[in-house]
Amino acid sequence: MVTFTARRSTPRLVAPARPTPRETKTLSDMDDHPGNRAYVPLVEFFVIRDEAGADDGRLMPPPEDPAAVVEAALAEALVYYYPVAGRLQETAGGKLAVDCNGEGVAFADADAAVRLDELVAPLLPPYPCVDELLLDAGDAHVVVGKPIVFMQVTRFRCGGFAIGLWINHCIADGFGMVQFLKAVADVARGEAAPAVLPVWERHLLMARAPPNTAYVHRKLTSLLKDDDPSADATPAAPPSMVCRHFLFGPAEIAVLRGRVAVGGGDDIAASCTRFELLTAAIWRCRAAAWRCLADGEPAIVVFAENVRRRWDRLPRGYYGNALVFHVVHGVAAGELRGMPLGRAAALVRGAKGEDASYEEHVRSTADFMAATRVMPPAAAYREETYMVSDWTRLGEDEVDFGWAKRVGGGVAAPPSPLVSFNAKCVNADGDESVVVTVQLPEAVVERFEKEINEICLKN
């Protein structure tokens, strides 16, 4: 793997290109939950298109300096996303709000004395020298009083570039983060305004008065070691966690689908989504590798769902956190270890469809998050729980500069030791694939890799 050092400019603040409203905006109860109080690191890689739209009157020709164009587009995008140019502040009861003061986001440009094609191909995590592509955002879990975004554009010798950014999870979920990056690309492409205009409307995901958490309380508290979010006991520190990445291309997916057919029948094998297949497989492999998890102990999987897909009350352009959570619980580790993959996949699917009222699921989740704003430390969660965030449908591959094409990227590193990520990518054969980033205790990594290799091997 090629290593490099990026020669970085002194970071500066980029403010909105024109005056913006001076006001305070309150975050929703989904936004400012402790689990979101962190910066998420993203890295996106681009190459210059040869044909690059120079003859199209709507598009800019390839610029001499892509970093300068991105910086100018960022300033213009912040006119529309002006809360992103503000600063978070804490109000009564620990509630967060945005002081829309227009101070701006942190920005730097940099140069790396390597070509993009000298890096590992295809571009998959762990990305080489990722720290060289990201500005220093300080403590990623301190979110008050800092720029909401830290962005760096790194130029490579081939003319390609990378955009690395830390973005505050309180201001946006994964979908909103990609929407913001698309807005910058739209303007950099020569459009007069972002194709999708941002919508704030955070009141739509505020807790009710009085709240009603009963709908999700049992599911979400099952993630805690003592199932009591108000407990005073100080739990033992979790084991040292390490990050590993696994690539699942069409061949691996076909093998998993075949295993589902054997244990679960042709119907579920044919209709099972890629997410259900991968979640079931990794959930079972984790249980098999986690030898210290006794047969009778719970093996839990939890995953987030983008509310936008099923709740039409959220307007197009909403970029705040809009997630509900599905939990598969009531399964013992021993049962899961011996369970056919098709049965595990059916349980993952069932967790998504057990909600009699989606409206109540959304409302109850916001109520629960408001009620548990003071949460136990991370060590209080069951570290053996498989928590997964699916980024495969966020539209990163639609970030379009016109004169530059995205060739890879995504979450540079999980912001929490508790969460794993699925991301869409392209493998060495050019096939659409999924790279799964998994967090594991160091002691079980070798066994887990063995389980993954065995489940993905053809019979």
Side-chain angles (χ1 to χ4, degrees), residues 98-132:
V98 184
D99 177 12
C100 300
N101 56 21
E103 285 189 35
V105 304
F107 182 89
D109 59 286
D111 291 285
V114 295
R115 299 172 55 87
L116 262 177
D117 57 15
E118 293 179 69
L119 306 182
V120 175
L123 281 165
L124 302 172
Y127 302 113
C129 301
V130 69
D131 289 341
E132 296 294 319

Side-chain angles (χ1 to χ4, degrees), residues 37 46 89 134 166 179 198 227 231 244 270 345 382 400 450:
R37 295 194 182 198
F46 301 87
Q89 58 185 15
L134 293 162
W166 291 93
Q179 180 180 309
D227 292 351
R244 290 292 184 270
R382 300 179 188 274
D400 182 15
K450 180 181 177 182

Side-chain angles (χ1 to χ4, degrees), residues 38 40 42 165 167-170 172-182 319 391:
V40 178
L42 307 178
L165 67 159
I167 186 164
N168 193 319
H169 203 334
C170 294
D173 59 11
F175 186 92
M177 294 174 195
V178 173
Q179 180 180 309
F180 173 70
L181 192 55
K182 285 181 181 178
Y319 62 103
W391 280 57

Side-chain angles (χ1 to χ4, degrees), residues 358-410:
Y358 197 72
E359 172 84 16
E360 182 57 28
H361 192 180
V362 174
R363 293 296 187 189
S364 187
T365 300
D367 292 348
F368 182 86
M369 288 185 162
T372 55
R373 186 168 290 120
V374 178
M375 290 288 288
Y381 290 92
R382 300 179 188 274
E383 63 271 358
E384 67 273 15
T385 297
Y386 178 36
M387 298 185 182
V388 58
S389 180
D390 184 24
W391 280 57
T392 61
R393 296 194 290 173
L394 298 186
E396 289 174 277
D397 48 354
E398 298 167 9
V399 178
D400 182 15
F401 283 89
W403 42 267
K405 178 178 72 171
R406 180 181 180 273
V407 291

